[in-house]
Amino acid sequence: MSGDIYDAVVVGAGFAGLTAARDLAKDGKRILIVEARDRIGGRTWYRPFADTDFDIEMGGNWLDPEGNAALMAEVRRYGVELTTSPQAEHHVSLLDGVLSHAACPISREDEVDLQRFVEEVSAQVKRIDPALPLDTQDVADLDVALDAYLDGFGLSVTLKELMGAWIRQETGCHLSQISALHLMSWIPLLDNDVLAIGHTPTHRFAAGTIDLLQRMLDDSAAELRLSTPVVAVTQSADHVEVRTQSGDVLRARGAVIALPLNCLPDVTFTPALSLDKAAGVAIGQSGAAKKLWALVTGLPPKLLGIGAHDEPIDVFFTDFPADETGLGADLVVGFSTQERPLDILDRDDMEAAFRRYVPEARVLKVDGHDWLADPYSKGTWCAAPAGLLSKYASALGASEGRLVFAGSDIAHAFRGWMEGAVLTGATAAEQLSTILARS
């Protein structure tokens, strides 16, 4: 057992954990951060692409400068430079078996139905206060599987497939695994634009997410232990003990638990988590995207592609044109889901997938990371299934004794975004400071 007693142990060194650690340190607390991986960043990971020296994001990447106020405050605090992904100049879609190069591949009738859909969803969204836990609001009727919700609008196959592709790109799972309420809770935060989910991502970190993460860590001056998985957390009346996989016991006056929702069952809590929190954790989150990267020739410049669920890729676009990469080809990013057989690390498989959209495409190299199989994430960005948010949203974020919880998966605002992680990290620091002051 370590003889040191910290003010707080922060479990997890993603955006949520590092925000909490930095804020607690600024409040004069002595902080230890423990991270299971051999790096910081959690479900963000900036590293070289496939045996090259060109860096890309394996996980979380883009931000909304207008809507992500907390994340942008951190960007400005540290003077972090942003850049943008290129806007599409060419389009290709494969929807309902039809290959199209139109920027908007739907009929006039579909456009009318889409407007009707937008008006109905806009009316429903007015019922949602994104700053409050959803189980404290009268919105349980919206906490239903998204595929069933969309079926109620009588949309054409083409329009449903177009909407489904963008939604899967944002959530990383089949529409049956997502609550309509999960996505609808974003809309008030996106200037009430129902179609914002179908916009191509734009702003990103010029030097990667690690640029901001490292600055936050350095600013905290906190002690950091990497490659240190936590297996148990025990709390008493006056302190917390955190047991690591190697058998070390770390003692502190309190702790911030900043782990992905699907990883919480891997930690034994004594006393046990509250019944409602445990029930929410047991449901978990469904996000399990295949985020793919490919070095491709033979594509039209700055291409945006969209595919139906029966196609291998939902959305892909040129993120770094050949003249930026220096690799002799365009670097393309795309998204698929786990139920598809596409192997994002198999060059032949990926080339066949791109040729569904562009027959001349030739794939030179591929890269990606299996976040679902990763034991320290067990999924990608949060996609809340039906029945989670209208029952357990409050419990998932509630403090328990000397433990406070943080992470994008349990955020009330911007759940699943880096913004949500930063918001919950700041809240967790405030909560723990209050708890420590009382004791």
Side-chain angles (χ1 to χ4, degrees):
M1 179 180 295
S2 171
D4 290 333
I5 299 180
Y6 299 88
D7 290 309
V9 171
V10 176
V11 182
F15 269 106
L18 293 181
T19 301
R22 191 272 317 280
D23 288 0
L24 285 165
K26 294 299 183 184
D27 194 40
K29 305 297 188 294
R30 181 168 175 246
I31 309 301
L32 170 66
I33 306 169
V34 290
E35 166 57 48
R37 306 179 193 276
D38 61 359
R39 59 173 182 81
I40 63 173
R43 285 171 285 183
T44 67
W45 187 13
Y46 191 63
R47 68 160 175 79
F49 167 79
D51 301 320
T52 73
D53 59 1
F54 193 88
D55 291 326
I56 57 173
E57 297 281 5
M58 287 289 111
N61 188 2
W62 296 277
L63 66 156
D64 177 0
E66 295 185 3
N68 293 169
L71 190 55
M72 285 303 298
E74 300 296 343
V75 167
R76 288 189 292 270
R77 182 200 297 250
Y78 297 110
V80 171
E81 182 182 354
L82 300 180
T83 186
T84 57
S85 295
Q87 291 297 302
E89 295 179 357
H90 294 83
H91 299 79
V92 62
S93 61
L94 193 45
L95 304 170
D96 196 17
V98 176
L99 185 68
S100 170
H101 294 281
C104 185
I106 60 175
S107 67
R108 293 291 184 102
E109 292 79 8
D110 285 336
E111 290 179 10
V112 172
D113 287 342
L114 181 59
Q115 183 59 39
R116 175 172 54 87
F117 170 81
V118 167
E119 291 172 356
E120 173 62 23
V121 173
S122 296
Q124 298 288 5
V125 164
K126 291 179 181 177
R127 302 163 50 193
I128 299 173
D129 184 340
L132 299 176
L134 290 168
D135 57 328
T136 65
Q137 305 178 53
D138 185 19
V139 292
D141 59 308
L142 304 177
D143 195 11
V144 296
L146 187 57
D147 58 347
Y149 180 81
L150 293 178
D151 284 345
F153 288 90
L155 306 175
S156 73
V157 173
T158 299
L159 182 52
K160 282 205 300 185
E161 288 187 347
L162 176 63
M163 295 170 63
W166 281 112
I167 291 168
R168 288 189 298 274
Q169 186 254 171
E170 292 284 356
T171 60
C173 59
H174 191 276
L175 270 59
S176 64
Q177 299 173 292
I178 318 159
S179 167
L181 182 60
H182 171 72
L183 286 182
M184 292 169 80
S185 69
W186 293 355
I187 294 171
L189 302 164
L190 298 172
D191 200 26
N192 292 304
D193 183 359
V194 175
L195 299 182
I197 292 170
H199 295 170
T200 309
T202 54
H203 289 76
R204 62 191 178 198
F205 296 95
T209 47
I210 189 62
D211 186 15
L212 176 56
L213 289 160
Q214 188 64 53
R215 293 176 195 239
M216 296 172 75
L217 175 63
D218 293 345
D219 195 20
S220 75
E223 181 181 343
L224 171 67
R225 298 190 190 182
L226 297 174
S227 302
T228 307
V230 168
V231 296
V233 177
T234 302
Q235 57 174 320
S236 65
D238 60 359
H239 74 280
V240 172
E241 294 185 354
V242 175
R243 183 178 296 275
T244 70
Q245 195 173 69
S246 63
D248 289 339
V249 177
L250 311 170
R251 302 178 69 215
R253 298 170 59 215
V256 178
I257 309 299
L259 298 176
L261 184 60
N262 290 350
C263 293
L264 283 176
D266 299 331
V267 179
T268 300
F269 290 91
T270 306
L273 299 177
S274 68
L275 293 178
D276 280 350
K277 191 189 294 289
V281 168
I283 293 173
Q285 68 96 2
S286 306
K290 295 178 180 179
K291 182 179 181 182
L292 55 96
W293 287 94
L295 193 63
V296 191
T297 62
L299 300 180
K302 299 179 181 178
L303 179 66
L304 168 62
I306 301 173
H309 187 268
D310 289 340
E311 300 302 329
I313 306 175
D314 290 307
V315 176
F316 65 90
F317 56 90
T318 307
D319 204 22
F320 297 97
D323 59 357
E324 291 185 29
T325 66
L327 301 175
D330 294 334
L331 197 49
V332 177
V333 65
F335 302 87
S336 185
T337 50
Q338 292 292 330
E339 69 271 13
R340 268 90 153 245
L342 177 67
D343 183 349
I344 65 173
L345 296 180
D346 185 286
R347 193 206 65 81
D348 292 338
D349 214 15
M350 289 280 282
E351 184 166 277
F354 278 103
R355 286 184 173 179
R356 293 284 297 163
Y357 304 88
V358 182
E360 301 80 16
R362 180 169 176 249
V363 173
L364 307 181
K365 287 177 176 285
V366 297
D367 207 348
H369 180 68
D370 189 343
W371 293 99
L372 183 61
D374 188 321
Y376 305 127
S377 60
K378 297 187 174 181
T380 49
W381 43 94
C382 179
L388 177 67
L389 301 178
S390 63
K391 295 179 181 178
Y392 304 114
S394 294
L396 289 174
S399 59
E400 304 205 3
R402 291 178 172 269
L403 305 182
V404 297
F405 294 79
S408 172
D409 295 351
I410 64 171
H412 302 314
F414 283 110
R415 182 180 299 100
W417 298 50
M418 291 181 285
E419 172 78 359
V422 171
L423 287 167
T424 60
T427 298
E430 293 176 0
Q431 290 175 330
L432 190 55
S433 288
T434 299
I435 290 169
L436 297 183
R438 289 173 182 165
S439 64

